[in-house]
């Protein structure tokens, strides 16, 4: 048995912390958990969480220190290209969530689609990160995976 209780923090790299915080709060219904500027260098710690699962914070981080310049540049390019993955989000009804989020202005790159593991929709946040919305189901090998 592990002494670790749970995962408490994940990092999502963003292009603008204020805009990202507002997007996650206004579009996804998350809540702000921290917005702190630390030290003389102006390092800012911004995090949000699902209102019912505050034990897992999503840190909205600008690509920069403690990353080296090469890694920070690679993340910036990935965000600009829309190829940077971020979060998988669970839902009980993917179609309903898709409709509600679309009504709030969330732009989906893939509508709800049947997958061997459930129903999945894909969208991007305002920094270009991919987010996957999944209504999980028992694995069904007769449903073809996307090509």
């Amino acid at each position: 048995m592990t002494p670790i209780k749970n995962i408490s923090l994940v990092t999502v790299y963003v292009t603008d912390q204020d805009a990202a915080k507002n997007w996650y709060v206004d579009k996804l219904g998350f809540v702000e958990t921290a917005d702190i500027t630390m030290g003389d260098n102006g390092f800012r710690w911004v995090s949000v969480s699902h209102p019912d699962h505050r034990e897992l914070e999503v840190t909205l981080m600008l690509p920069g220190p403690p990353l080296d310049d090469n890694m920070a540049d690679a993340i910036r390019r990935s965000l600009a290209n829309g190829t940077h993955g971020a979060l998988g989000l669970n839902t009980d009804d993917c179609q309903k969530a898709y409709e509600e989020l679309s009504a709030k202005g969330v732009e989906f790159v893939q509508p709800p689609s049947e997958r061997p593991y459930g129903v999945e929709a894909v969208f991007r946040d305002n920094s270009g990160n991919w987010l996957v919305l999944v209504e999980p189901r028992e694995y069904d090998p007769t449903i073809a995976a996307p090509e």
Side-chain angles (χ1 to χ4, degrees):
M1 179 148 170
T2 179
I4 298 168
K5 288 180 17 179
N6 62 295
I7 297 170
S8 63
L9 180 69
V10 295
T11 299
V12 172
Y13 287 101
V14 299
T15 56
D16 178 307
Q17 287 175 304
D18 288 319
K21 178 176 66 171
N22 291 339
W23 192 90
Y24 278 82
V25 168
D26 296 342
K27 304 288 187 198
L28 300 187
F30 285 24
V31 294
E32 178 184 319
T33 52
D35 191 340
I36 303 163
T37 301
M38 298 183 270
D40 295 335
N41 65 358
F43 179 81
R44 188 168 169 212
W45 182 269
V46 177
S47 63
V48 296
S49 69
H50 185 283
D52 295 335
H53 297 282
R54 295 181 67 124
E55 71 279 5
L56 177 58
E57 290 185 71
V58 177
T59 302
L60 304 171
M61 187 75 66
L62 294 174
L67 301 174
D68 67 28
D69 290 340
N70 288 334
M71 181 57 82
D73 287 341
I75 291 171
R76 283 188 208 91
R77 285 192 309 274
S78 181
L79 288 170
N81 293 334
T83 57
H84 201 267
L87 299 172
L89 305 171
N90 191 307
T91 183
D92 291 330
D93 186 334
C94 193
Q95 183 63 42
K96 181 179 178 186
Y98 167 80
E99 291 167 6
E100 289 177 8
L101 293 172
S102 293
K104 289 182 175 184
V106 173
E107 295 182 26
F108 283 79
V109 295
Q110 174 196 294
S113 302
E114 291 286 335
R115 301 288 183 245
Y117 48 82
V119 181
E120 172 188 82
V122 179
F123 60 98
R124 288 193 179 111
D125 69 11
N126 63 328
S127 292
N129 289 296
W130 286 82
L131 289 91
V132 179
L133 182 64
V134 177
E135 175 187 340
R137 295 188 185 149
E138 188 171 328
Y139 179 74
D140 182 349
T142 64
I143 298 174
E147 295 182 21

